Amino acid sequence: MKNLFVKIAAAGVLMLAPAIAQAAEGYSTANVNMRAGPSTRYPAVAVIPAGSSVEIRGCLSDVNWCDVEFYGGRGWVSGQYVQALYQQRRVYVGPQYYRPLGIPMIRFSVDNYWDRYYRNRDFYRERDRWSRGPDYYYRDRDNRDRDRDRNWRERDRDRDGRDRDRDWRDDNQRGDRQRDDLQRGDRQRGDRQGDDRRGDDRRPDRRDFDCRPGDPSCDE
């Protein structure tokens, strides 16, 4: 008789197990992002239109986020955007309704969850950073951005310094050329003026004139 009761109890547990594992049906109350983790800082993987039906696979106990299925895809949505039918009325999914709605409380692990659902996503390549949490990921990314910006600024500063040095050298070279041109022009003008003065001071040589017979000037 005792063995019979044990078998009946075991059969009852087996009959209840599918019901416990079955997801609860919910409805999105707005156009909401389904994300790769329980935070608005995780990447968005899909947009669930308002009024769409979702299957609630489980929710976290410490924060009001739930793992849902939508058209074969999986992701996380805040409970404040999901309603479920409870005692003939729709209620927002919250911790007080998890047990009455048959929603299991679960945990989230980036490694396990992303390995299962997001291997083909671009953000999967940064899984190691995301596994430390979205706050760490964004802090690390901000640090990398600041380092990159600082490197760019240093390169720009070096380039500006090289440009200034080149401009300074070009200005000096132009100044030297202009000074040389001015000096050369002054010398050329001085030479021409000297030639002009020599031409003015030169007395005409009598031999420069053709003397005609009988011209008194030719007798001198």
Side-chain angles (χ1 to χ4, degrees), residues 187-202:
R187 285 196 298 271
Q188 291 175 352
R189 284 192 295 273
D191 293 342
R192 285 196 299 270
Q193 291 173 358
D195 292 340
D196 293 342
R197 284 194 297 272
R198 285 195 297 272
D200 293 340
D201 295 340
R202 190 182 60 188

Side-chain angles (χ1 to χ4, degrees), residues 16 30 87 107 132 211:
L16 290 174
Q87 294 182 351
R107 294 181 179 180
R132 303 180 186 183
C211 293

Side-chain angles (χ1 to χ4, degrees), residues 11-137:
V13 170
L14 292 175
M15 291 177 64
L16 290 174
I20 295 175
Q22 185 177 0
E25 185 176 6
Y27 305 89
S28 63
T29 60
N31 296 330
V32 60
N33 284 319
M34 184 169 68
R35 297 188 175 273
S39 170
T40 57
R41 308 196 76 178
Y42 281 104
V45 296
V47 176
I48 303 176
S52 299
S53 176
V54 297
E55 296 293 325
I56 306 172
R57 295 295 180 179
C59 298
L60 300 177
S61 60
D62 51 345
V63 291
N64 189 20
W65 279 78
C66 297
D67 175 19
V68 303
E69 182 176 352
F70 176 68
Y71 276 96
R74 290 288 288 270
W76 291 81
V77 176
S78 173
Q80 62 180 341
Y81 295 108
V82 179
Q83 288 183 333
L85 190 62
Y86 175 69
Q87 294 182 351
Q88 306 303 316
R89 63 188 180 93
R90 289 187 178 185
V91 296
Y92 282 96
V93 175
Q96 69 274 25
Y97 293 111
Y98 291 170
R99 185 180 297 274
L101 293 172
I103 300 173
M105 287 187 291
I106 59 176
R107 294 181 179 180
F108 171 71
S109 169
V110 167
D111 294 333
N112 295 334
Y113 199 86
W114 286 25
D115 283 345
R116 185 176 299 176
Y117 301 114
Y118 301 136
R119 284 184 175 271
N120 62 336
R121 298 280 185 160
D122 291 338
F123 56 77
Y124 182 82
R125 292 175 295 185
E126 297 187 290
R127 181 190 58 171
D128 292 339
R129 288 194 177 95
W130 281 107
S131 64
R132 303 180 186 183
D135 293 336
Y136 176 87
Y137 172 81

Side-chain angles (χ1 to χ4, degrees), residues 150-166 169:
R150 183 168 59 251
N151 292 335
W152 277 110
R153 286 195 298 270
E154 290 176 354
R155 283 195 291 268
D156 291 341
R157 186 166 58 249
D158 293 340
R159 185 186 60 190
D160 293 340
R162 290 192 300 270
D163 292 342
R164 283 193 297 270
D165 291 341
R166 185 174 60 250
R169 289 193 299 271

